[in-house]
Amino acid sequence: MKVAICPGSFDPVTLGHLDIIERTSYLFDKVIVAVLCNMEKHPNFTVEERMEFLRETTSHLPNVEISSFDGLLVDFAKEKGATAVVKGLRAVSDFEYEFQMSLINKKLCPDIETVYLNTSQEYMYLSSSVIKQIASLGGDISNFVPEAIHTKIVDRLTNM
Ligand code: ADP
């Protein structure tokens, strides 16, 4: 069984993330979406909240599982029996960091490949931080986040 990991902060999940998760689920037998428990990033949503948003919005994808990790991504991938880490690339600005990470991960664990999926054109400008900024300033984010969790996200971000 070919298992892939889609790692990220998902603070919160956007339509751009979902597009990558969905496309990965068509390519692999099983996809583990791994929420990073990194407090250094000062997330707005707890790991549990982020996982719950992901569960709600991926419930139509039977081969997708939601999990969380701290520590090294390659260790988590090995523990889960994954052979690939799948990441989305939005723009050239994502490339340098991702390129470095993939080379480091390859050195740490040669058996795990990093695979990149191009962003879909309609989501190339989307990031969790942009969405948080717009919502906290009272802007409409309904085109950027899944409908099922839109109200919960807006409630939280406008009551900070
Ligand atoms: P961010 O906080 O930058 O939105 P995350 O760390 O949660 O992103 O990202 C998890 C993964 O999803 C990364 O591989 C990232 O490149 C990818 N990603 C995020 N937004 C998009 C998008 N709009 N299109 C394609 N990939 C995306």
Side-chain angles (χ1 to χ4, degrees):
M1 191 198 276
K2 293 283 181 203
V3 181
I5 307 275
C6 284
S9 305
F10 305 105
D11 185 45
V13 60
T14 69
L15 291 178
H17 292 133
L18 265 192
D19 176 60
I20 297 292
I21 295 167
E22 213 162 283
R23 286 158 59 201
T24 307
S25 79
Y26 304 143
L27 295 172
F28 288 85
D29 300 311
K30 182 175 169 182
V31 181
I32 301 172
V33 181
V35 177
L36 179 63
C37 311
N38 185 354
M39 292 313 284
E40 275 166 30
K41 278 198 161 186
H42 303 294
N44 290 79
F45 297 91
T46 66
V47 172
E48 252 323 308
E49 286 172 325
R50 288 181 266 155
M51 288 174 70
E52 191 47 40
F53 289 161
L54 281 158
R55 272 187 218 107
E56 262 186 82
T57 52
T58 60
S59 58
H60 61 297
L61 303 168
N63 61 339
V64 172
E65 181 185 304
I66 312 301
S67 189
S68 66
F69 76 107
D70 48 18
L72 285 178
L73 177 62
V74 286
D75 289 341
F76 178 78
K78 269 191 277 186
E79 179 193 315
K80 295 288 184 184
T83 50
V85 170
V86 178
K87 307 222 65 186
L89 278 185
R90 274 163 292 197
V92 183
S93 51
D94 279 342
F95 180 77
E96 205 168 334
Y97 173 76
E98 295 295 347
F99 188 58
Q100 183 187 19
M101 285 310 297
S102 76
L103 290 175
I104 288 176
N105 285 338
K106 192 76 184 164
K107 217 41 181 183
L108 292 172
C109 185
D111 299 341
I112 297 173
E113 288 292 345
T114 305
V115 176
Y116 296 106
L117 295 184
N118 240 0
T119 180
S120 295
Q121 212 179 335
E122 64 266 44
Y123 303 130
M124 70 175 289
Y125 56 85
L126 264 191
S127 72
S128 297
S129 48
V130 159
I131 285 171
K132 288 189 278 193
Q133 214 169 354
I134 296 171
S136 63
L137 296 170
D140 178 9
I141 58 163
S142 54
N143 284 325
F144 311 142
V145 297
E147 203 188 330
I149 57 168
H150 173 256
T151 311
K152 288 179 204 165
I153 292 175
V154 172
D155 283 353
R156 165 63 68 81
L157 295 173
T158 51
N159 287 307
M160 283 195 318

